[in-house]
Amino acid sequence: MANWLLKSEPDSYAWNDLVRDGGTEWDGVRNNAAAAHLRSMQPGDKALVYHSGKDKAAVGIAEVTRGPRKDGDEGHWVSVAIKPLAPLPAPVSLAAMKAEPALAALPMLRQSRLSVSPVGDKEWSTIIAMAAR
């Protein structure tokens, strides 16, 4: 199983919307690198839901429930289905992530505009521990 980070503007689609809906199609990603990550997602993978914009924090954990399928008419974009698993005990802010040496290699911090990115097992454990503090 792999771990991911999915960014969303909370004004457009927030963690609470995902919880209310019980799941969603993670679509509309129009960046080649992010789309490549979506193509790698498999059912059972976990994802941190991250609020971008003014909040800038990881807020919950979701699970991929269906792998990639075509998104739109252009053919090379894809979407996946996700469902909420649990909110993080406390949000983990971007500032806290940047300050944590164990997260220095986190792709989201290296390519800040990427809306979908992988999270290694060590980084995942670190973020989960940070949320529990």
Side-chain angles (χ1 to χ4, degrees):
M1 299 290 163
N3 302 312
W4 306 95
L5 185 135
L6 302 172
K7 286 185 182 179
S8 180
E9 288 280 346
D11 291 342
S12 297
Y13 198 79
W15 169 256
N16 289 338
D17 297 319
L18 179 61
V19 170
R20 177 198 66 221
D21 297 344
T24 194
E25 191 71 21
W26 205 264
D27 58 4
V29 173
R30 296 298 184 261
N31 171 283
N32 287 321
H37 294 313
L38 283 175
R39 279 186 210 95
S40 297
M41 290 184 175
Q42 297 298 316
D45 286 358
K46 303 292 186 282
L48 291 166
V49 175
Y50 178 92
H51 283 171
S52 57
K54 64 178 181 170
D55 293 349
K56 291 184 176 67
V59 296
I61 301 171
E63 180 178 342
V64 176
T65 58
R66 195 207 68 252
R69 74 173 182 198
K70 184 178 173 184
D71 178 17
D73 296 329
E74 296 174 28
H76 61 281
W77 303 121
V78 297
S79 65
V80 297
I82 65 168
K83 70 176 182 180
L85 289 182
L88 291 177
V92 180
S93 72
L94 176 61
M97 288 183 203
K98 285 182 174 181
E100 175 54 58
L103 298 178
L106 189 66
M108 193 267 298
L109 298 179
R110 299 168 57 120
Q111 294 178 303
S112 63
R113 307 234 352 123
L114 205 54
S115 62
V116 179
S117 59
V119 178
D121 290 338
K122 288 182 181 180
E123 290 87 359
W124 181 273
S125 296
T126 299
I127 293 169
I128 299 303
M130 291 170 72
R133 290 183 194 149

